Amino acid sequence: MKYSSGPQVPTMPKDGPDSVEVRSRAGDARHFSPSAARNCVPIREVLTRVLPKKGTVLEIGSGTGEHVVCFAKALPRLVWLPSDPDGASRASIEAWMAHEGLANVRAPVAIDVREKIWGVEGDAPFDAMISLNMVHIAPWAATLGLLAGGARLLRPDGVLFLYGPFMLGGKHTVATNAAFDLDLKQRDPRWGVRDVDDIVSEAVPHGLELREVVEMPANNLSLVLIKASRHTQLEFVAPRVR
């Protein structure tokens, strides 16, 4: 493994995590997220490198839909299936799809990752799953459900990609993330910036191995996990800095 470099709520400063913020709206159902506009390209650059060249990608917690259309335009050989439990977000995703006219983005579906059945089992196995800025604004049970879903629905050697603010070794990477973590917990005590070590310890029993941690702008990280092939004995190996 390598280490490399909704609701109307206040946005974080530009040098803070891109995660909980005000959305603006167009004249149609599209929502606009300032953080999505900022982080789309850096995330897309990592996805271009770590995702398979073709196949189907399931996105968990697609939000406004700006990310999925950004990625689908850059990676046209991949079919993208967005999802969000929020009806207004799904309407925004559909509006963005119509606006961009992309043939490789499917209609969004409602998924609650805490449920054992997601309603997309008929489309599995997926070649990749991605979830951006979700695990820290959801109960820990959502992270556990996401990992379990990756184990169930990814093909062997499939990619599970997570993006957002994370702790490393029980410590925040910067003071602004610590302040953000406190703010999240004041909003909802079930929320909070997650520790990469905790995610890894829960991922391993599901056959998911952390292969890479990528340092991103605004003090965020990208985590690249791989579902072990059927014949692989999964062992934890400490990540290296890239």
Side-chain angles (χ1 to χ4, degrees):
M1 291 184 288
K2 296 177 286 186
Y3 231 37
S4 30
S5 328
Q8 295 283 316
V9 293
T11 185
M12 293 299 295
K14 267 196 172 182
D15 59 348
D18 288 333
S19 38
V20 179
E21 60 182 17
V22 173
R23 294 181 183 181
S24 59
R25 296 188 61 173
D28 53 22
R30 284 179 296 155
H31 289 196
F32 293 82
S33 163
S35 69
R38 291 195 300 269
N39 63 33
C40 170
V41 172
I43 297 171
R44 185 184 67 197
E45 290 175 351
V46 180
L47 292 178
T48 300
R49 178 170 59 80
V50 304
L51 292 186
K53 302 303 180 187
K54 60 181 180 179
T56 303
V57 181
L58 173 64
E59 184 183 22
I60 299 297
S62 299
T64 64
E66 292 167 277
H67 278 134
V68 73
V69 297
C70 170
F71 305 151
K73 286 191 288 187
L75 300 165
R77 296 180 66 191
L78 289 169
V79 175
W80 298 81
L81 176 55
S83 72
D84 203 285
D86 176 62
S89 293
R90 293 196 301 275
S92 177
I93 296 165
E94 291 179 336
W96 274 107
M97 291 167 54
H99 183 266
E100 298 292 337
L102 296 170
N104 62 327
V105 181
R106 294 174 52 185
V109 295
I111 292 178
D112 182 339
V113 292
R114 297 170 296 181
E115 299 294 333
K116 294 186 181 298
I117 302 298
W118 289 3
V120 294
E121 284 71 14
D123 297 299
F126 294 98
D127 298 279
M129 291 171 49
I130 70 172
S131 184
L132 316 177
N133 283 326
M134 188 277 282
V135 300
H136 57 281
I137 54 171
W140 178 241
T143 301
L144 300 180
L146 179 62
L147 296 172
R152 290 195 315 271
L153 301 176
L154 282 172
R155 64 165 173 78
D157 299 318
V159 176
L160 175 60
F161 178 90
L162 308 181
Y163 168 88
F166 294 95
M167 291 190 289
L168 294 171
K171 298 180 180 179
H172 290 287
T173 56
V174 291
T176 51
N177 279 12
F180 181 53
D181 186 34
L182 179 62
D183 180 69
L184 288 173
K185 290 173 179 174
Q186 289 175 339
R187 296 173 189 275
D188 190 322
R190 301 172 302 168
W191 294 4
V193 175
R194 310 304 180 187
D195 195 305
V196 173
D197 289 350
D198 292 337
I199 292 174
V200 169
S201 67
E202 295 291 346
V204 169
H206 289 295
L208 297 166
E209 177 186 3
L210 180 65
R211 291 284 179 86
E212 188 174 354
V213 180
V214 185
E215 292 181 359
M216 305 293 289
N219 306 312
N220 290 297
L221 298 174
S222 290
L223 311 185
V224 182
L225 298 98
I226 304 295
K227 181 178 176 180
S229 64
R230 293 183 180 89
H231 304 295
T232 298
Q233 181 66 38
L234 188 60
E235 297 180 359
F236 175 73
V237 181
R240 293 178 285 123
V241 176
R242 174 187 169 97

